[in-house]
Amino acid sequence: MKTKLYLLAIILLPMVSMAQFIEVNYNDGDQKLIGLAAVPKTSLQDKPGILILPAWMGIDDHAKDSATQLSDLGYITFVADIYGVGNKPTNYQEAGKQAGFYKKNITDYHRRIQLALDELVKKGANPDKIVVIGYCFGGTGAVEAARTNMKVNGIVSFHGGLGKDETRKVETINPRVLVLHGADDPYVPKAEIDAFQSEMRTAKADWEMIYYANAVHAFTEVGAGNDNSKGAAYNEKAAKRSWIAMLEFLKQVL
């Protein structure tokens, strides 16, 4: 009886994360950047790495939670600092301005992503076993990593923007692409989705797009509330299902 109670107690105890973040200082010219690395004590075979691109508020709890969970599964993770020290938004207006700058000056965004990838490899990730994931603005960045054929096996975009400058040439896309999308997301219009899917076909990409019912923008963000009428809201089912879809994707491409 005591043994049964002991085992039951173990099952009911909350899981304690083994991940510990390390602040990583790096630079883009004169701009100081501070990313977060989590290296598991026991990595998966071949030491696969996951680069995490945060949403428009910069490095936040959601990005760190994702890094923690993935590190606990044996992945080496790195949360990218896109904006740099001294530039973290304090409100949505500032976030929109910052994210808008990088969407307009897309090569600057590409460079910040690549610098973060370099840091992920420096922390021990196998350069031949890397996936980029991103949320919202970071989801846009993940798609851009595929568009520019960064040296990654695949990308996962959670409720990210899919548009791009129409004057940009469509190149063949090598990384595998997974887009996890809220079926009722008002911030990604049908025309943008149609253009994206046409681009993927032209680029001969290995891509898939999963829609989640009753989900709007930011459906993985607990802090977004639950009011779909605002256009951005948490959806527990979509959040859990999209996470499972990502984990399956990681197994396949890594």
Side-chain angles (χ1 to χ4, degrees), residues 175-198:
R176 188 168 161 185
V177 175
L178 174 61
V179 172
L180 305 170
H181 186 71
D184 300 330
D185 190 335
Y187 297 113
V188 184
K190 185 177 184 302
E192 186 172 307
I193 293 172
D194 291 344
F196 169 77
Q197 293 184 357
S198 176

PDB file of all heavy atoms in Angstrom, residues 175-198:
ATOM      1  N   PRO A 175      14.355  24.434 -47.086  1.00  0.00           N
ATOM      2  CA  PRO A 175      13.866  23.944 -45.794  1.00  0.00           C
ATOM      3  C   PRO A 175      12.391  23.552 -45.872  1.00  0.00           C
ATOM      4  O   PRO A 175      11.605  24.152 -46.606  1.00  0.00           O
ATOM      5  CB  PRO A 175      14.056  25.150 -44.861  1.00  0.00           C
ATOM      6  CG  PRO A 175      15.062  26.015 -45.537  1.00  0.00           C
ATOM      7  CD  PRO A 175      14.824  25.824 -46.998  1.00  0.00           C
ATOM      8  N   ARG A 176      12.029  22.560 -45.113  1.00  0.00           N
ATOM      9  CA  ARG A 176      10.623  22.175 -45.045  1.00  0.00           C
ATOM     10  C   ARG A 176       9.844  23.221 -44.240  1.00  0.00           C
ATOM     11  O   ARG A 176      10.374  23.791 -43.277  1.00  0.00           O
ATOM     12  CB  ARG A 176      10.506  20.803 -44.386  1.00  0.00           C
ATOM     13  CG  ARG A 176       9.103  20.217 -44.424  1.00  0.00           C
ATOM     14  CD  ARG A 176       9.120  18.763 -44.017  1.00  0.00           C
ATOM     15  NE  ARG A 176       7.801  18.301 -43.624  1.00  0.00           N
ATOM     16  CZ  ARG A 176       7.544  17.101 -43.130  1.00  0.00           C
ATOM     17  NH1 ARG A 176       8.538  16.235 -42.978  1.00  0.00           N
ATOM     18  NH2 ARG A 176       6.329  16.752 -42.785  1.00  0.00           N
ATOM     19  N   VAL A 177       8.609  23.479 -44.649  1.00  0.00           N
ATOM     20  CA  VAL A 177       7.828  24.586 -44.075  1.00  0.00           C
ATOM     21  C   VAL A 177       6.535  24.068 -43.452  1.00  0.00           C
ATOM     22  O   VAL A 177       5.763  23.350 -44.093  1.00  0.00           O
ATOM     23  CB  VAL A 177       7.491  25.622 -45.175  1.00  0.00           C
ATOM     24  CG1 VAL A 177       6.578  26.712 -44.621  1.00  0.00           C
ATOM     25  CG2 VAL A 177       8.771  26.232 -45.760  1.00  0.00           C
ATOM     26  N   LEU A 178       6.303  24.463 -42.193  1.00  0.00           N
ATOM     27  CA  LEU A 178       5.052  24.155 -41.508  1.00  0.00           C
ATOM     28  C   LEU A 178       4.454  25.456 -40.985  1.00  0.00           C
ATOM     29  O   LEU A 178       5.075  26.157 -40.187  1.00  0.00           O
ATOM     30  CB  LEU A 178       5.282  23.187 -40.346  1.00  0.00           C
ATOM     31  CG  LEU A 178       4.066  22.905 -39.454  1.00  0.00           C
ATOM     32  CD1 LEU A 178       2.927  22.272 -40.243  1.00  0.00           C
ATOM     33  CD2 LEU A 178       4.464  22.023 -38.263  1.00  0.00           C
ATOM     34  N   VAL A 179       3.240  25.773 -41.436  1.00  0.00           N
ATOM     35  CA  VAL A 179       2.537  26.973 -40.992  1.00  0.00           C
ATOM     36  C   VAL A 179       1.320  26.549 -40.184  1.00  0.00           C
ATOM     37  O   VAL A 179       0.467  25.799 -40.676  1.00  0.00           O
ATOM     38  CB  VAL A 179       2.113  27.849 -42.192  1.00  0.00           C
ATOM     39  CG1 VAL A 179       1.225  28.997 -41.735  1.00  0.00           C
ATOM     40  CG2 VAL A 179       3.343  28.385 -42.913  1.00  0.00           C
ATOM     41  N   LEU A 180       1.250  27.009 -38.936  1.00  0.00           N
ATOM     42  CA  LEU A 180       0.159  26.682 -38.030  1.00  0.00           C
ATOM     43  C   LEU A 180      -0.675  27.948 -37.857  1.00  0.00           C
ATOM     44  O   LEU A 180      -0.205  28.946 -37.299  1.00  0.00           O
ATOM     45  CB  LEU A 180       0.730  26.186 -36.701  1.00  0.00           C
ATOM     46  CG  LEU A 180       1.700  25.003 -36.858  1.00  0.00           C
ATOM     47  CD1 LEU A 180       2.417  24.707 -35.553  1.00  0.00           C
ATOM     48  CD2 LEU A 180       0.974  23.767 -37.370  1.00  0.00           C
ATOM     49  N   HIS A 181      -1.918  27.900 -38.344  1.00  0.00           N
ATOM     50  CA  HIS A 181      -2.669  29.140 -38.580  1.00  0.00           C
ATOM     51  C   HIS A 181      -4.067  29.102 -37.984  1.00  0.00           C
ATOM     52  O   HIS A 181      -4.769  28.087 -38.069  1.00  0.00           O
ATOM     53  CB  HIS A 181      -2.758  29.350 -40.101  1.00  0.00           C
ATOM     54  CG  HIS A 181      -3.378  30.637 -40.507  1.00  0.00           C
ATOM     55  ND1 HIS A 181      -2.756  31.851 -40.334  1.00  0.00           N
ATOM     56  CD2 HIS A 181      -4.575  30.907 -41.096  1.00  0.00           C
ATOM     57  CE1 HIS A 181      -3.533  32.812 -40.795  1.00  0.00           C
ATOM     58  NE2 HIS A 181      -4.643  32.272 -41.254  1.00  0.00           N
ATOM     59  N   GLY A 182      -4.459  30.197 -37.367  1.00  0.00           N
ATOM     60  CA  GLY A 182      -5.818  30.326 -36.867  1.00  0.00           C
ATOM     61  C   GLY A 182      -6.788  30.534 -38.016  1.00  0.00           C
ATOM     62  O   GLY A 182      -6.613  31.448 -38.829  1.00  0.00           O
ATOM     63  N   ALA A 183      -7.809  29.691 -38.115  1.00  0.00           N
ATOM     64  CA  ALA A 183      -8.736  29.752 -39.244  1.00  0.00           C
ATOM     65  C   ALA A 183      -9.486  31.083 -39.314  1.00  0.00           C
ATOM     66  O   ALA A 183      -9.945  31.491 -40.384  1.00  0.00           O
ATOM     67  CB  ALA A 183      -9.736  28.596 -39.165  1.00  0.00           C
ATOM     68  N   ASP A 184      -9.607  31.782 -38.167  1.00  0.00           N
ATOM     69  CA  ASP A 184     -10.339  33.041 -38.122  1.00  0.00           C
ATOM     70  C   ASP A 184      -9.426  34.238 -37.860  1.00  0.00           C
ATOM     71  O   ASP A 184      -9.888  35.282 -37.383  1.00  0.00           O
ATOM     72  CB  ASP A 184     -11.425  32.972 -37.041  1.00  0.00           C
ATOM     73  CG  ASP A 184     -12.436  31.867 -37.301  1.00  0.00           C
ATOM     74  OD1 ASP A 184     -12.682  31.550 -38.483  1.00  0.00           O
ATOM     75  OD2 ASP A 184     -12.981  31.299 -36.325  1.00  0.00           O
ATOM     76  N   ASP A 185      -8.145  34.105 -38.178  1.00  0.00           N
ATOM     77  CA  ASP A 185      -7.177  35.182 -37.941  1.00  0.00           C
ATOM     78  C   ASP A 185      -7.481  36.379 -38.846  1.00  0.00           C
ATOM     79  O   ASP A 185      -7.323  36.293 -40.069  1.00  0.00           O
ATOM     80  CB  ASP A 185      -5.759  34.672 -38.216  1.00  0.00           C
ATOM     81  CG  ASP A 185      -4.678  35.646 -37.774  1.00  0.00           C
ATOM     82  OD1 ASP A 185      -4.957  36.862 -37.691  1.00  0.00           O
ATOM     83  OD2 ASP A 185      -3.553  35.197 -37.507  1.00  0.00           O
ATOM     84  N   PRO A 186      -7.896  37.527 -38.276  1.00  0.00           N
ATOM     85  CA  PRO A 186      -8.256  38.675 -39.102  1.00  0.00           C
ATOM     86  C   PRO A 186      -7.055  39.466 -39.610  1.00  0.00           C
ATOM     87  O   PRO A 186      -7.192  40.319 -40.493  1.00  0.00           O
ATOM     88  CB  PRO A 186      -9.094  39.537 -38.145  1.00  0.00           C
ATOM     89  CG  PRO A 186      -8.492  39.261 -36.805  1.00  0.00           C
ATOM     90  CD  PRO A 186      -8.093  37.807 -36.834  1.00  0.00           C
ATOM     91  N   TYR A 187      -5.880  39.183 -39.054  1.00  0.00           N
ATOM     92  CA  TYR A 187      -4.689  39.950 -39.422  1.00  0.00           C
ATOM     93  C   TYR A 187      -3.934  39.351 -40.609  1.00  0.00           C
ATOM     94  O   TYR A 187      -2.959  39.942 -41.080  1.00  0.00           O
ATOM     95  CB  TYR A 187      -3.760  40.075 -38.216  1.00  0.00           C
ATOM     96  CG  TYR A 187      -4.372  40.839 -37.076  1.00  0.00           C
ATOM     97  CD1 TYR A 187      -4.675  40.216 -35.874  1.00  0.00           C
ATOM     98  CD2 TYR A 187      -4.676  42.189 -37.209  1.00  0.00           C
ATOM     99  CE1 TYR A 187      -5.269  40.916 -34.826  1.00  0.00           C
ATOM    100  CE2 TYR A 187      -5.259  42.899 -36.172  1.00  0.00           C
ATOM    101  CZ  TYR A 187      -5.556  42.262 -34.986  1.00  0.00           C
ATOM    102  OH  TYR A 187      -6.145  42.955 -33.953  1.00  0.00           O
ATOM    103  N   VAL A 188      -4.363  38.182 -41.048  1.00  0.00           N
ATOM    104  CA  VAL A 188      -3.756  37.566 -42.232  1.00  0.00           C
ATOM    105  C   VAL A 188      -4.884  37.328 -43.237  1.00  0.00           C
ATOM    106  O   VAL A 188      -5.557  36.295 -43.193  1.00  0.00           O
ATOM    107  CB  VAL A 188      -3.048  36.240 -41.883  1.00  0.00           C
ATOM    108  CG1 VAL A 188      -2.346  35.675 -43.118  1.00  0.00           C
ATOM    109  CG2 VAL A 188      -2.047  36.452 -40.757  1.00  0.00           C
ATOM    110  N   PRO A 189      -5.121  38.288 -44.121  1.00  0.00           N
ATOM    111  CA  PRO A 189      -6.251  38.185 -45.049  1.00  0.00           C
ATOM    112  C   PRO A 189      -6.094  37.050 -46.050  1.00  0.00           C
ATOM    113  O   PRO A 189      -4.987  36.544 -46.288  1.00  0.00           O
ATOM    114  CB  PRO A 189      -6.254  39.548 -45.756  1.00  0.00           C
ATOM    115  CG  PRO A 189      -4.860  40.054 -45.608  1.00  0.00           C
ATOM    116  CD  PRO A 189      -4.352  39.539 -44.302  1.00  0.00           C
ATOM    117  N   LYS A 190      -7.209  36.658 -46.641  1.00  0.00           N
ATOM    118  CA  LYS A 190      -7.221  35.551 -47.591  1.00  0.00           C
ATOM    119  C   LYS A 190      -6.268  35.801 -48.757  1.00  0.00           C
ATOM    120  O   LYS A 190      -5.602  34.876 -49.235  1.00  0.00           O
ATOM    121  CB  LYS A 190      -8.637  35.319 -48.125  1.00  0.00           C
ATOM    122  CG  LYS A 190      -8.757  34.099 -49.048  1.00  0.00           C
ATOM    123  CD  LYS A 190     -10.178  33.878 -49.487  1.00  0.00           C
ATOM    124  CE  LYS A 190     -10.303  32.593 -50.326  1.00  0.00           C
ATOM    125  NZ  LYS A 190      -9.438  32.606 -51.525  1.00  0.00           N
ATOM    126  N   ALA A 191      -6.195  37.037 -49.212  1.00  0.00           N
ATOM    127  CA  ALA A 191      -5.308  37.354 -50.337  1.00  0.00           C
ATOM    128  C   ALA A 191      -3.853  37.062 -49.983  1.00  0.00           C
ATOM    129  O   ALA A 191      -3.077  36.585 -50.832  1.00  0.00           O
ATOM    130  CB  ALA A 191      -5.470  38.823 -50.731  1.00  0.00           C
ATOM    131  N   GLU A 192      -3.470  37.328 -48.736  1.00  0.00           N
ATOM    132  CA  GLU A 192      -2.105  37.055 -48.283  1.00  0.00           C
ATOM    133  C   GLU A 192      -1.849  35.551 -48.225  1.00  0.00           C
ATOM    134  O   GLU A 192      -0.771  35.085 -48.602  1.00  0.00           O
ATOM    135  CB  GLU A 192      -1.879  37.695 -46.913  1.00  0.00           C
ATOM    136  CG  GLU A 192      -0.450  37.594 -46.405  1.00  0.00           C
ATOM    137  CD  GLU A 192      -0.229  38.395 -45.134  1.00  0.00           C
ATOM    138  OE1 GLU A 192      -0.564  39.601 -45.135  1.00  0.00           O
ATOM    139  OE2 GLU A 192       0.269  37.822 -44.141  1.00  0.00           O
ATOM    140  N   ILE A 193      -2.839  34.813 -47.755  1.00  0.00           N
ATOM    141  CA  ILE A 193      -2.717  33.355 -47.692  1.00  0.00           C
ATOM    142  C   ILE A 193      -2.602  32.767 -49.098  1.00  0.00           C
ATOM    143  O   ILE A 193      -1.750  31.910 -49.365  1.00  0.00           O
ATOM    144  CB  ILE A 193      -3.917  32.743 -46.957  1.00  0.00           C
ATOM    145  CG1 ILE A 193      -3.900  33.159 -45.478  1.00  0.00           C
ATOM    146  CG2 ILE A 193      -3.906  31.214 -47.065  1.00  0.00           C
ATOM    147  CD1 ILE A 193      -5.136  32.761 -44.709  1.00  0.00           C
ATOM    148  N   ASP A 194      -3.463  33.244 -49.997  1.00  0.00           N
ATOM    149  CA  ASP A 194      -3.437  32.741 -51.380  1.00  0.00           C
ATOM    150  C   ASP A 194      -2.086  33.021 -52.029  1.00  0.00           C
ATOM    151  O   ASP A 194      -1.517  32.163 -52.730  1.00  0.00           O
ATOM    152  CB  ASP A 194      -4.555  33.376 -52.205  1.00  0.00           C
ATOM    153  CG  ASP A 194      -5.937  32.895 -51.784  1.00  0.00           C
ATOM    154  OD1 ASP A 194      -6.025  31.868 -51.086  1.00  0.00           O
ATOM    155  OD2 ASP A 194      -6.938  33.554 -52.162  1.00  0.00           O
ATOM    156  N   ALA A 195      -1.560  34.233 -51.802  1.00  0.00           N
ATOM    157  CA  ALA A 195      -0.270  34.596 -52.386  1.00  0.00           C
ATOM    158  C   ALA A 195       0.845  33.736 -51.809  1.00  0.00           C
ATOM    159  O   ALA A 195       1.756  33.306 -52.535  1.00  0.00           O
ATOM    160  CB  ALA A 195       0.015  36.073 -52.134  1.00  0.00           C
ATOM    161  N   PHE A 196       0.767  33.468 -50.508  1.00  0.00           N
ATOM    162  CA  PHE A 196       1.774  32.630 -49.858  1.00  0.00           C
ATOM    163  C   PHE A 196       1.758  31.219 -50.432  1.00  0.00           C
ATOM    164  O   PHE A 196       2.811  30.650 -50.753  1.00  0.00           O
ATOM    165  CB  PHE A 196       1.518  32.589 -48.351  1.00  0.00           C
ATOM    166  CG  PHE A 196       2.333  31.553 -47.633  1.00  0.00           C
ATOM    167  CD1 PHE A 196       3.674  31.761 -47.364  1.00  0.00           C
ATOM    168  CD2 PHE A 196       1.752  30.350 -47.226  1.00  0.00           C
ATOM    169  CE1 PHE A 196       4.422  30.791 -46.702  1.00  0.00           C
ATOM    170  CE2 PHE A 196       2.493  29.393 -46.568  1.00  0.00           C
ATOM    171  CZ  PHE A 196       3.827  29.605 -46.305  1.00  0.00           C
ATOM    172  N   GLN A 197       0.576  30.647 -50.553  1.00  0.00           N
ATOM    173  CA  GLN A 197       0.486  29.285 -51.070  1.00  0.00           C
ATOM    174  C   GLN A 197       0.947  29.209 -52.518  1.00  0.00           C
ATOM    175  O   GLN A 197       1.608  28.243 -52.915  1.00  0.00           O
ATOM    176  CB  GLN A 197      -0.947  28.785 -50.917  1.00  0.00           C
ATOM    177  CG  GLN A 197      -1.370  28.610 -49.468  1.00  0.00           C
ATOM    178  CD  GLN A 197      -2.758  28.020 -49.304  1.00  0.00           C
ATOM    179  OE1 GLN A 197      -3.462  27.780 -50.277  1.00  0.00           O
ATOM    180  NE2 GLN A 197      -3.154  27.763 -48.072  1.00  0.00           N
ATOM    181  N   SER A 198       0.641  30.234 -53.297  1.00  0.00           N
ATOM    182  CA  SER A 198       1.122  30.286 -54.675  1.00  0.00           C
ATOM    183  C   SER A 198       2.649  30.369 -54.706  1.00  0.00           C
ATOM    184  O   SER A 198       3.314  29.709 -55.517  1.00  0.00           O
ATOM    185  CB  SER A 198       0.520  31.496 -55.394  1.00  0.00           C
ATOM    186  OG  SER A 198       1.037  31.619 -56.695  1.00  0.00           O
TER     187      SER A 198
END
